[in-house]
Amino acid sequence: MNNRLETFVKENRRAFDITEPPFGLWAKIELELDNKTALEIKNKKKPVKLYLWMSAAAAIVVVFAIGWLYVGKMQSNGLEIADVNAAYAKKEVHFAGLIVEKRDSLAIFASANPELYKKFTADLTKLDEEYERLRLELPTSLNQTFVVKAMVKNREIQLQLLKQQLLIINQVDDYKRVNQI
């Protein structure tokens, strides 16, 4: 089969050489490729910067949560919640992470509702002070399990308060939006 094709090509070589591509064909092809490439670059969508901001915010939340937990462990005079009760320690860590997340969400609304934000942070400050008092009491307490339960309950209350505050802020924003129309 290869010999037949080879023989055919050799015998008809002049017929193949007679037809040459038109002058400027390669230049035309090159120009069309350049135009196509330029259109693709022009139509290429730019990445959404919101995604980058959300990623950065999530990373910041994680860093703050880890830092907050680390500082809490370092300041507990060697006694941690996990040393008293592992189940409560897991709950406390879970609540602490959610609290950091909700506080960050609340801080975003601070510029839109500064007075409301000020009142909300005052309530949270009181709960933080109570948690700190319990944490300092833990190493010397006769009933450490009771203190740990109170600490976890404090975190749970903080989380519930933050959720309620975020709900109120969303309702205020919705009310403002409806009344502007």
Side-chain angles (χ1 to χ4, degrees):
M1 174 91 176
N2 282 342
N3 288 338
R4 292 170 83 198
L5 181 62
E6 218 174 285
T7 307
F8 177 77
V9 170
K10 285 181 183 177
E11 289 174 359
N12 296 304
R13 184 169 181 98
R14 288 189 181 194
F16 290 122
D17 289 342
I18 291 176
T19 56
E20 289 188 20
F23 180 76
L25 178 65
W26 288 114
K28 185 178 174 184
I29 291 172
E30 187 177 287
L31 181 63
E32 285 181 25
L33 285 174
D34 287 344
N35 287 341
K36 186 177 178 182
T37 305
L39 277 174
E40 287 175 0
I41 291 172
K42 185 177 180 182
N43 291 336
K44 194 173 190 179
K45 294 182 180 178
K46 294 182 181 178
V48 179
K49 293 186 181 191
L50 178 63
Y51 172 75
L52 295 173
W53 281 103
M54 289 173 47
S55 298
I60 290 170
V61 167
V62 169
V63 168
F64 277 116
I66 291 170
W68 188 18
L69 292 173
Y70 179 75
V71 169
K73 287 180 181 181
M74 293 301 290
Q75 294 177 349
S76 66
N77 299 327
L79 186 64
E80 299 177 16
I81 295 175
D83 295 335
V84 177
N85 188 317
Y88 283 117
K90 285 181 182 178
K91 283 184 179 181
E92 198 274 340
V93 168
H94 176 71
F95 288 145
L98 291 173
I99 288 168
V100 169
E101 214 175 280
K102 299 293 182 192
R103 282 184 182 218
D104 288 344
S105 297
L106 191 63
I108 292 170
F109 294 108
S111 60
N113 299 306
E115 287 299 316
L116 199 53
Y117 179 75
K118 193 176 186 180
K119 290 177 184 177
F120 288 164
T121 53
D123 294 337
L124 289 169
T125 302
K126 289 176 187 174
L127 286 169
D128 276 337
E129 289 170 357
E130 179 63 21
Y131 180 86
E132 185 63 22
R133 186 190 64 73
L134 289 168
R135 190 187 60 74
L136 292 173
E137 182 183 318
L138 180 62
T140 58
S141 174
L142 296 176
N143 190 351
Q144 292 176 335
T145 304
F146 179 78
V147 175
V148 166
K149 285 180 183 179
M151 291 171 73
V152 172
K153 189 65 177 174
N154 180 289
R155 290 290 193 213
E156 186 178 3
I157 291 169
Q158 285 185 40
L159 182 60
Q160 289 172 355
L161 179 64
L162 283 163
K163 285 179 180 178
Q164 194 66 27
Q165 290 171 345
L166 287 170
L167 180 68
I168 290 169
I169 285 179
N170 285 330
Q171 289 174 344
V172 167
D173 288 344
D174 289 345
Y175 178 79
K176 286 180 180 178
R177 221 176 292 127
V178 168
N179 287 332
Q180 286 180 350
I181 296 176

